[in-house]
Amino acid sequence: GPAAWWFVACAAIAVFAGAGSVAAHAAAPDISGQVRVVATDVQASLRGPLAQAEVLSPGLALLPASSVALASELRGRAGVFTLAGTLQRQHTQGSGWRDESWVNELYAAGGAQAWQFSAGKRVVGWDVGQAWRPNDVVQQEQRRSLVSSTLEGRPLLMAEHFSASTAWSAVWVNPQKPRRQRGAEEPALALRLNQREGSVDWHGFARWGGHTRGSLGAAVAW
């Protein structure tokens, strides 16, 4: 349940903080941010069958409202901890102003030698080649949005191992979610293996979801 998840996460964070304490004292906090303004103007088409139906029956077709949004994103990193958050003020036509805020990422990461561990809310996008993601089984990013925005991470525990030609990752994502959840909210175990041979990258994926059960994937890039 949620209590068990937070217990495991807090214990893991404590271990990572202890392992990375030397590096934490040596490195100064890193803080960055950005401000974005996004305006959307929606106009109804005057041609086509939908426009004709709207003339005969006004209000039949509901259009998305025009809007303007001001989003401020702040990212900070200190020692083993990383925090990224967003503050947004949005005005929608007919609805007035609305303020929102959310945490994009909040996690601890540390390790030793070839091992790396993470615990918390983090964006994990497994790509192939030039950011091509046919097996995005952890983050499950929404791809068909009109305007791209900073992703919101998933609660997870992750272990990674790296060598000169091989890298693999094991992720327990959404451990606090019930098994009936689907898509990006489904609790699952995911594995990834990346093997480099010369100019060729081999990728293998496996996932076991609480509701959807098993799935496998593979990709190659060169």
Side-chain angles (χ1 to χ4, degrees):
W5 151 244
W6 286 115
F7 175 81
V8 172
C10 291
I13 289 174
V15 173
F16 301 154
S21 59
V22 175
H25 288 297
D30 182 17
I31 300 176
S32 61
Q34 64 176 351
V35 177
R36 301 196 314 166
V37 178
V38 178
T40 304
D41 182 34
V42 180
Q43 299 292 335
S45 174
L46 301 178
R47 303 177 61 182
L50 190 58
Q52 296 175 8
E54 180 69 13
V55 172
L56 296 176
S57 180
L60 177 65
L62 298 178
L63 295 175
S66 300
S67 64
V68 58
L70 173 66
S72 302
E73 300 175 2
L74 181 66
R75 173 175 291 271
R77 185 173 184 178
V80 298
F81 297 98
T82 297
L83 169 65
T86 300
L87 299 173
Q88 179 174 278
R89 185 171 178 82
Q90 183 177 24
H91 182 274
T92 304
Q93 185 179 9
S95 299
W97 289 97
R98 183 179 64 178
D99 296 324
E100 292 181 291
S101 63
W102 59 89
V103 175
N104 299 94
E105 292 187 299
L106 176 57
Y107 65 91
Q113 298 181 351
W115 288 93
Q116 186 77 16
F117 302 95
S118 301
K121 186 178 184 180
R122 184 174 185 179
V123 175
V124 176
W126 288 345
D127 62 347
V128 176
Q130 302 298 319
W132 185 52
R133 298 188 178 97
N135 292 282
D136 182 20
V137 297
V138 176
Q139 182 64 32
Q140 299 192 32
E141 175 185 349
Q142 297 293 328
R143 308 227 174 257
R144 294 186 178 273
S145 59
L146 181 62
V147 179
S148 61
S149 59
T150 303
L151 300 179
E152 187 173 352
R154 313 296 181 193
L156 54 82
L157 297 173
M158 180 168 63
E160 300 175 283
H161 185 273
F162 302 93
S163 68
S165 59
T166 304
W168 66 264
S169 305
V171 178
W172 181 18
V173 61
N174 297 317
Q176 85 287 11
K177 298 286 186 178
R179 291 186 177 183
R180 65 177 179 271
Q181 294 284 3
R182 303 288 188 92
E185 300 297 321
E186 181 184 21
L189 297 174
L191 300 174
R192 179 188 68 160
L193 175 64
N194 181 8
Q195 178 69 42
R196 184 172 182 84
E197 297 179 358
S199 60
V200 181
D201 282 328
W202 299 94
H203 300 262
F205 303 84
R207 183 180 183 274
W208 184 267
H211 185 86
T212 57
R213 302 305 179 185
S215 56
L216 295 172
V220 60
W222 67 92

